């Protein structure tokens, strides 16, 4: 029940058919993958010139980005533009505030009976946010640990057994 987020980077942003081609690709993905599996697919069309105006959520996503298909040059150009306009202090403040909001809605401790495996303290987002902060500070991002992989596996099983999107263990029966 997780989603897939794609960022599409055209090689030639000035080409008149770029947006039409990307919309066609997205519609094809919706018909074949999304409808067939029930997986939500989101996409964004990004250009290096977008880098100065990106919000923190988009910046976070791009910090985790990787090339799936196509030439690596557009990704390299976008990444260089992202870092040349990266507002480190604002980004750090935003990530800390985001974490506080998430924990106020869930719990600020992982030692709870019904933990939120995605945004609760000690959940997947805790590791991701720590990595984004590392990157913003110029440090290398860490690879997921076996503990992270276990939490991710639990979340996937939770989605499977509940037959719906949910990140919180619950005593309630459906």
């Amino acid at each position: 029940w997780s989603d897939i987020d794609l960022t599409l980077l055209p090689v030639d942003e000035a080409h008149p058919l770029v947006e039409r081609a990307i919309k066609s690709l997205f519609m094809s993905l919706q018909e074949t993958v999304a409808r067939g599996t029930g997986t939500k697919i989101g996409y964004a069309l990004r250009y290096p010139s977008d880098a100065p105006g990106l919000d923190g959520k988009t910046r976070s996503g791009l910090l985790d980005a990787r090339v799936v298909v196509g030439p690596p040059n557009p990704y390299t150009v976008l990444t260089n533009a992202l870092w040349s306009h990266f507002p480190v202090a604002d980004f750090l403040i935003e990530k800390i505030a985001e974490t506080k909001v998430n924990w106020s809605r869930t719990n600020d401790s992982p030692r709870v009976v019904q933990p939120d495996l995605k945004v609760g303290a000690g959940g997947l987002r805790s590791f991701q946010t720590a990595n984004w902060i590392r990157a913003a500070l110029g440090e290398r991002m860490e690879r997921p640990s076996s503990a992270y992989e276990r939490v991710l596996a639990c979340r996937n099983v939770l989605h499977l057994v509940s037959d719906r999107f949910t990140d919180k263990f619950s005593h309630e029966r459906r």
Side-chain angles (χ1 to χ4, degrees):
W1 292 98
S2 293
D3 62 345
I4 297 172
D5 294 319
L6 300 173
T7 299
L8 304 165
L9 310 170
V11 175
D12 178 8
E13 67 180 86
H15 195 284
L17 299 177
V18 165
E19 289 191 32
R20 186 181 325 163
I22 287 174
K23 285 180 184 174
S24 176
L25 171 67
F26 180 68
M27 295 308 291
S28 295
L29 285 171
Q30 288 292 358
E31 283 188 27
T32 57
V33 177
R35 287 194 187 135
T37 65
T39 303
K40 285 186 191 176
I41 299 175
Y43 81 98
L45 175 59
R46 296 281 176 234
Y47 300 107
S49 59
D50 295 338
L54 296 175
D55 62 23
K57 190 171 187 172
T58 302
R59 284 188 176 98
S60 297
L62 291 174
L63 292 177
D64 286 331
R66 60 199 167 279
V67 176
V68 176
V69 66
N73 188 49
Y75 171 75
T76 302
V77 171
L78 179 65
T79 302
N80 289 341
L82 176 71
W83 284 115
S84 68
H85 296 93
F86 201 92
V88 175
D90 292 342
F91 182 79
L92 296 176
I93 291 166
E94 185 174 344
K95 291 297 125 187
I96 291 167
E98 218 173 76
T99 299
K100 285 181 179 180
V101 168
N102 286 338
W103 289 1
S104 72
R105 287 192 315 237
T106 58
N107 283 292
D108 60 357
S109 169
R111 296 176 175 224
V112 294
V113 176
Q114 297 180 346
D116 186 306
L117 299 177
K118 182 176 179 184
V119 297
L124 300 171
R125 186 68 77 225
S126 294
F127 174 81
Q128 294 161 343
T129 300
N131 253 353
W132 298 329
I133 289 172
R134 277 186 199 92
L137 295 173
E139 297 178 21
R140 242 182 77 220
M141 292 174 60
E142 290 186 11
R143 296 180 57 87
S145 65
S146 60
Y148 178 91
E149 295 294 341
R150 270 193 305 277
V151 173
L152 183 59
C154 287
R155 180 179 182 235
N156 290 341
V157 168
L158 184 60
H159 287 184
L160 186 64
V161 299
S162 66
D163 198 30
R164 65 188 173 101
F165 172 81
T166 183
D167 293 325
K168 188 173 182 177
F169 278 123
S170 173
H171 295 295
E172 299 171 16
R173 290 186 176 245
R174 208 179 114 133

